[in-house]
């Protein structure tokens, strides 16, 4: 998703991962959430914090996962598939309300009320396989599945070369996860 985020590192990483796995089709959807202002991830007037904050952090993008899931739902309906996957996490997450199990359950219920496919008997399932895992458990699982973590990016402030800042919340969670998993972090930091 090109959603008006500060950098293209996520998009570049997604493209590289799609190429590595030789996916049949890789799409980038353009939805500019920066028009809503107020999020440090989409509003250049708001600084990305470099220390933990209380409550829902300023990096929360209004309705981002709802928009992402809605695009995925529309695409799934067109493709005639019923399984949608999202990588949200409720354990080591930054306080985002749309990363909780009850949100995923509610969205799935809505998806099964609001689509032609569901009315015609095709039920959707929203899969969130990482939702109850700690970052270290996610990293261990990915390592077991031979995920090339050097292709991935978590940073809120990645530079033009796709290198991570090492100090934002996402980088701190990532570093801690690799450390706790006892696995070397292949992330390129600037």
């Amino acid at each position: 998703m090109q959603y008006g985020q500060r950098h293209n590192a996520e998009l570049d990483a997604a493209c590289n991962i799609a190429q590595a796995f030789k996916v049949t089709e890789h799409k980038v959807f353009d939805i500019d959430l920066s028009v809503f202002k107020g999020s440090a991830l989409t509003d250049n007037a708001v600084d990305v914090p470099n220390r933990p904050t209380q409550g829902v952090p300023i990096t929360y993008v209004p309705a981002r996962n709802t928009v992402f899931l809605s695009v995925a739902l529309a695409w799934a309906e067109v493709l005639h598939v019923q399984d949608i996957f999202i990588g949200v996490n409720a354990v080591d997450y930054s306080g985002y309300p749309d990363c909780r199990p009850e949100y995923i359950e509610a969205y799935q219920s809505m998806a099964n009320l609001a689509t032609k496919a569901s009315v015609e008997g095709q039920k959707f399932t929203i899969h969130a396989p990482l939702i109850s895992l700690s970052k270290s458990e996610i990293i261990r699982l990915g390592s077991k599945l031979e995920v090339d973590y050097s292709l991935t990016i978590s940073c809120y402030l990645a530079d033009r070369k796709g290198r991570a800042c090492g100090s934002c919340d996402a980088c701190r969670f990532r570093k801690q996860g690799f450390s706790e998993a006892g696995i070397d972090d292949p992330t390129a930091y600037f």
Side-chain angles (χ1 to χ4, degrees):
M1 298 284 183
Q2 170 63 51
Y3 62 92
Q5 62 268 54
R6 288 179 180 258
H7 58 73
N8 287 328
E10 295 170 329
L11 298 170
D12 294 342
C15 182
N16 292 336
I17 291 166
Q19 288 174 355
F21 283 98
K22 298 178 174 75
V23 299
T24 304
E25 186 174 11
H26 176 80
K27 288 188 174 294
V28 175
F29 290 90
D30 290 313
I31 300 168
D32 190 4
L33 299 179
S34 70
V35 299
F36 300 115
K37 304 293 180 201
S39 170
L41 298 188
T42 57
D43 186 344
N44 289 329
V46 180
D47 291 332
V48 174
N50 60 5
R51 63 186 190 292
T53 58
Q54 296 294 320
V56 177
I58 196 69
T59 53
Y60 168 75
V61 178
R64 181 177 60 178
N65 286 342
T66 301
V67 171
F68 287 3
L69 281 171
S70 295
V71 170
L73 177 62
W75 191 232
E77 193 168 22
V78 167
L79 295 176
H80 304 289
V81 297
Q82 287 74 47
D83 295 296
I84 298 169
F85 291 81
I86 188 165
V88 297
N89 180 261
V91 177
D92 289 340
Y93 78 118
S94 296
Y96 301 133
D98 54 0
C99 290
R100 299 173 298 157
E102 54 266 38
Y103 166 77
I104 298 300
E105 291 168 18
Y107 191 92
Q108 180 176 291
S109 294
M110 184 281 306
N112 285 312
L113 291 172
T115 57
K116 177 180 182 240
S118 65
V119 169
E120 293 176 351
Q122 298 175 8
K123 297 297 181 191
F124 291 97
T125 302
I126 309 298
H127 301 272
L130 309 178
I131 202 161
S132 63
L133 301 178
S134 70
K135 291 291 188 225
S136 61
E137 290 172 325
I138 292 167
I139 289 166
R140 281 189 207 103
L141 176 61
S143 182
K144 180 180 174 183
L145 297 172
E146 299 181 8
V147 169
D148 182 351
Y149 281 111
S150 70
L151 295 176
T152 67
I153 186 80
S154 302
C155 184
Y156 295 152
L157 293 169
D159 69 7
R160 291 178 189 252
K161 295 179 182 177
R163 296 175 300 182
C165 74
S167 61
C168 69
D169 278 355
C171 283
R172 283 196 311 274
F173 285 137
R174 183 180 176 109
K175 284 180 173 182
Q176 181 179 350
F178 275 104
S179 176
E180 289 175 0
I183 296 173
D184 290 335
D185 181 358
T187 306
Y189 294 100
F190 61 84

